[in-house]
């Protein structure tokens, strides 16, 4: 595992070199609440967390419940750290580096990688607790997180049904993905799932006047399509292949 960590730290050095000076200008109020985090330490820890998740997406070594928690932890960290690192796109740089690092041939989908992923998830828990005070509760935290994101997709699908912003291929993925994710949500949380709010979001968006279509609705549908593709991967679903 020492070689794995060394590989990651080596990959993160260029990111830190470029951004560690810029990101010291943190949001004053947030920095006061969080007692001035050490930027270098946060970058290193976040890099391990991002690499662990990228490696999990490649290897699928965690339980489904742990993977759901990892996505929740990553989202809260991104939201919180974006309020701190306001003057540079440091998180995007780290995630890009983490993705490339996770694809390195020295990372095998083996017990060593599983240990790295589990330790990275624990780092995410610790950093999320430090930044937000929140802890993950299975079938509560993840359920709310999934519902909120699928609600965004529902509204985007309804809007596109009126405005027809997306290309046919993207429109199909948004429409089919919305249905697949809604069904998957009910299966995942079969005892407590209620998609009535999500269904209402689709119907409300689909009933809007065509005169409302414009740049804002175009951005909404595009973002909804991008979120659909991301959630299809996170729910371990796939679009049906096209006939050649």
């Amino acid at each position: 595992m020492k070689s794995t960590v060394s590989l990651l730290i080596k990959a993160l050095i260029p990111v830190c070199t470029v951004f560690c000076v810029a990101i010291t200008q943190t949001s004053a109020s947030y920095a006061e609440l969080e007692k001035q985090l050490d930027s270098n330490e946060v970058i290193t820890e976040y890099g391990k967390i991002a690499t662990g998740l990228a490696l999990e997406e490649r290897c699928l070594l965690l339980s489904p419940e742990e993977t759901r928690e990892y996505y929740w932890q990553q989202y809260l960290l991104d939201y919180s750290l974006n309020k701190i690192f306001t003057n540079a796109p440091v998180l995007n740089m780290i995630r890009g580096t983490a993705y490339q690092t996770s694809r390195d041939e020295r990372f095998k989908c083996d017990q060593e990688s599983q240990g790295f992923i589990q330790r990275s998830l624990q780092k995410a828990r610790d950093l999320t607790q430090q930044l937000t005070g929140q802890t993950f509760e299975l079938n509560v935290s993840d359920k709310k997180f999934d519902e909120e994101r699928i609600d965004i997709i529902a509204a985007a699908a309804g809007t596109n049904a009126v405005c027809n912003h997306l290309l046919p291929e993207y429109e199909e993925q948004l429409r089919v993905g919305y249905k697949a994710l809604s069904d998957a949500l009910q299966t995942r949380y079969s005892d407590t799932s209620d998609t009535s709010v999500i269904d209402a979001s689709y119907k409300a968006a689909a009933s809007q006047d065509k005169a409302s279509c414009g740049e804002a609705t175009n951005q909404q549908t595009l973002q909804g399509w991008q979120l659909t593709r991301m959630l299809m991967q996170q729910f371990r679903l796939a679009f049906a292949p096209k006939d050649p």
Side-chain angles (χ1 to χ4, degrees):
M1 182 51 62
K2 183 177 180 180
S3 61
T4 297
V5 175
S6 298
L7 175 65
L8 175 59
I9 293 174
K10 185 181 296 184
L12 288 174
I13 286 174
V15 177
C16 189
T17 300
V18 173
F19 291 109
C20 280
V21 175
I23 63 179
T24 57
Q25 301 176 14
T26 61
S27 167
S29 60
Y30 206 91
E32 288 173 5
L33 289 172
E34 307 308 334
K35 300 179 181 179
Q36 283 296 125
L37 297 174
D38 183 316
S39 297
N40 293 344
E41 180 181 351
V42 170
I43 284 177
T44 300
E45 293 303 287
Y46 182 83
K48 294 174 184 176
I49 292 165
T51 302
L53 182 55
L55 189 60
E56 165 59 18
E57 290 179 330
R58 172 187 158 199
C59 296
L60 303 179
L61 296 172
L62 296 180
S63 69
E65 292 77 15
E66 288 174 316
T67 304
R68 279 148 52 186
E69 178 187 357
Y70 213 147
Y71 284 123
W72 181 86
Q73 300 284 0
Q74 179 83 52
Y75 173 79
L76 287 189
L77 288 177
D78 288 350
Y79 181 83
S80 300
L81 292 175
N82 273 318
K83 289 182 174 294
I84 297 173
F85 302 151
T86 57
N87 297 320
V90 62
L91 298 189
N92 289 338
M93 290 286 292
I94 294 175
R95 285 194 296 268
T97 299
Y99 178 84
Q100 294 299 327
T101 303
S102 72
R103 266 56 186 173
D104 191 284
E105 62 182 12
R106 283 172 284 184
F107 270 117
K108 309 296 183 183
C109 294
D110 55 13
Q111 187 173 358
E112 182 180 8
S113 289
Q114 183 176 17
F116 175 79
I117 293 168
Q118 289 175 329
R119 284 190 292 275
S120 298
L121 173 56
Q122 186 58 52
K123 290 179 186 294
R125 291 171 179 144
D126 295 341
L127 190 54
T128 296
Q129 173 65 28
Q130 181 183 0
L131 291 174
T132 71
Q134 296 192 49
T135 56
F136 178 80
E137 184 177 354
L138 183 64
N139 293 326
V140 176
S141 304
D142 49 338
K143 178 174 178 287
K144 181 180 178 182
F145 184 41
D146 290 340
E147 287 174 341
E148 289 174 346
R149 295 184 296 170
I150 295 173
D151 189 67
I152 293 171
I153 291 170
T159 296
N160 195 68
V162 175
C163 300
N164 296 312
H165 287 306
L166 298 178
L167 294 172
E169 179 182 357
Y170 298 169
E171 182 280 329
E172 181 181 13
Q173 289 183 347
L174 176 59
R175 175 171 44 80
V176 171
Y178 160 54
K179 179 63 167 60
L181 289 166
S182 183
D183 291 345
L185 184 71
Q186 294 181 74
T187 300
R188 175 176 286 184
Y189 308 105
S190 57
D191 294 336
T192 59
S193 179
D194 178 7
T195 61
S196 60
V197 173
I198 294 172
D199 295 338
S201 293
Y202 175 87
K203 292 176 182 177
S207 64
Q208 63 187 298
D209 193 281
K210 196 171 180 66
S212 64
C213 300
E215 182 58 31
T217 55
N218 184 51
Q219 286 297 317
Q220 178 192 13
T221 56
L222 182 59
Q223 290 169 359
W225 167 72
Q226 292 170 331
L227 183 58
T228 299
R229 290 176 58 85
M230 183 177 76
L231 287 195
M232 288 289 285
Q233 177 187 3
Q234 292 185 8
F235 272 72
R236 300 180 183 178
L237 302 172
F239 295 108
K242 294 290 187 180
D243 293 332

